[in-house]
Amino acid sequence: MTQDACETWLCMALQSRLEGVRVAAIAVRELCKSYGLSDNLQHDLELCLVESLTNIVKHSYKGETTHVMELSLRFCKDVIVCTLTDFGESNFSLEEELQGCDTLDPDTPPENGLGLLIPRSITSSLEYTAGPDRNTLVFTIPVGEKGDIMPTE
Amino acid sequence: MNIQAEEQARCVILRPQGSRSDSANAASVKSVLLDRLETQQQTVILDLNEIEFMDSSGLGVIVSTLKRISGTKRLILCGLQPAVTRLFSVTRIDKVFEIATRRDEAITLAKIPQP
């Protein structure tokens, strides 16, 4: 799908604070409501967004609150594409972070480390690209499954 | 986030008051919640009815609560909103907890010996 086929809903620059993650989540939730997305889709998108942004704050920026993270949300025909960009450390392996997530033991549930399991479980694709000056996480959420149909104009 | 506590039918019922349980407040919620676990009652019911959104940090707080009281007390969750139910399902944590739909059902469940 080409960029032209997508409608950009939202672009935001956020300070690398957990409170900022919350603000972004609430903004996206309200945006979803205004577009008439189903509650299920709103929940999934908000959850993926919060987990991914929190991951940036904690890992790329090590909790430092003076940095910037960028959020772009686009609707492309039958998927929502969320692009998150940060300018912090890139020594992060998505595969390593996800390692072991498939073997969750109910007898010994983890208190943390579940963050990226959530976007991976919900999204149709999850890609992380580490570059020399920026890191980008892109995930897509299909629209149309579970009755989450976009409204007509 | 404040956590309201009351005792009923030999259970202590803890009700977090706030709409979000996430990384921004996980540490403070955990601290308050663990303090509230100092009770003589053998069953703790955590009523999550007010929580409209929870992320993995909030979930971690509940898991740590379970670990804290494991072996000495029983933990039953109730009042999960759809977004919270979804989180529990996605992470498969729902298999770890005893979960009731409503508070009165949780109290009824507490009267039944733990499986």
Side-chain angles (χ1 to χ4, degrees):
Chain A
M1 179 170 294
T2 66
Q3 178 87 10
D4 293 339
C6 302
E7 178 188 357
T8 299
W9 280 358
L10 179 72
C11 292
M12 293 178 81
L14 298 158
Q15 197 174 348
S16 55
R17 300 168 59 92
L18 294 175
E19 293 80 2
V21 173
R22 183 178 282 190
V23 168
I26 293 171
V28 167
R29 180 194 288 187
E30 292 303 314
L31 187 70
C32 288
K33 284 181 183 172
S34 73
Y35 274 86
L37 296 184
S38 72
D39 289 345
N40 286 341
L41 194 51
Q42 287 178 43
H43 298 157
D44 282 5
L45 181 57
E46 183 176 2
L47 194 50
C48 288
L49 184 66
V50 167
E51 296 296 345
S52 300
L53 286 174
T54 299
N55 197 65
I56 291 173
V57 172
K58 289 184 175 178
H59 297 291
S60 291
Y61 291 137
K62 309 291 184 193
E64 295 176 357
T65 59
T66 56
H67 304 284
V68 171
M69 44 193 183
E70 296 176 350
L71 158 67
S72 163
L73 201 62
R74 292 178 295 137
F75 180 70
C76 302
K77 194 178 177 183
D78 53 2
V79 294
I80 292 173
V81 181
C82 183
T83 304
L84 303 174
T85 305
D86 72 79
F87 309 91
E89 290 189 19
S90 59
N91 56 351
F92 163 78
S93 165
L94 186 62
E95 292 309 313
E96 284 181 16
E97 285 291 316
L98 291 172
Q99 203 167 34
C101 288
D102 286 330
T103 57
L104 177 63
D105 182 358
D107 292 329
T108 56
E111 294 177 39
N112 49 45
L114 285 171
L116 285 171
L117 167 67
I118 293 166
R120 189 185 65 166
S121 299
I122 292 173
T123 61
S124 54
S125 71
L126 179 68
E127 294 180 20
Y128 178 76
T129 307
D133 62 343
R134 67 185 58 201
N135 312 304
T136 306
L137 182 72
V138 182
F139 64 78
T140 62
I141 295 182
V143 178
E145 295 181 359
K146 303 175 292 183
D148 299 325
I149 308 299
M150 284 295 294
T152 55
E153 293 183 357
Chain B
M1 179 184 285
N2 186 35
I3 298 179
Q4 188 181 53
E6 64 179 276
E7 295 193 1
Q8 186 177 341
R10 297 184 179 179
C11 302
V12 61
I13 300 168
L14 303 179
R15 181 171 183 164
Q17 296 180 303
S19 62
R20 297 183 73 86
S21 178
D22 56 20
S23 289
N25 63 8
S28 62
V29 172
K30 182 176 181 178
S31 174
V32 175
L33 192 56
L34 294 183
D35 279 349
R36 297 284 193 182
L37 293 177
E38 301 301 324
T39 172
Q40 299 298 317
Q41 304 296 353
Q42 291 302 301
T43 299
V44 176
I45 295 174
L46 189 55
D47 185 347
L48 300 173
N49 189 54
E50 285 193 26
I51 306 290
E52 295 175 358
F53 177 84
M54 181 183 290
D55 71 0
S56 62
S57 298
L59 188 61
V61 171
I62 297 179
V63 171
S64 68
T65 302
L66 178 67
K67 289 182 174 178
R68 171 67 72 92
I69 68 175
S70 180
T72 60
K73 290 183 172 62
R74 181 178 181 184
L75 178 64
I76 300 174
L77 308 182
C78 70
L80 276 64
Q81 298 294 327
V84 179
T85 300
R86 173 68 167 156
L87 173 68
F88 275 62
S89 171
V90 165
T91 55
R92 290 173 284 173
I93 289 288
D94 51 353
K95 303 185 188 322
V96 175
F97 291 96
E98 289 187 271
I99 301 175
T101 304
R102 300 192 313 269
R103 181 189 290 204
D104 58 338
E105 292 177 359
I107 292 171
T108 301
L109 182 60
K111 295 172 182 171
I112 302 170
Q114 195 165 10

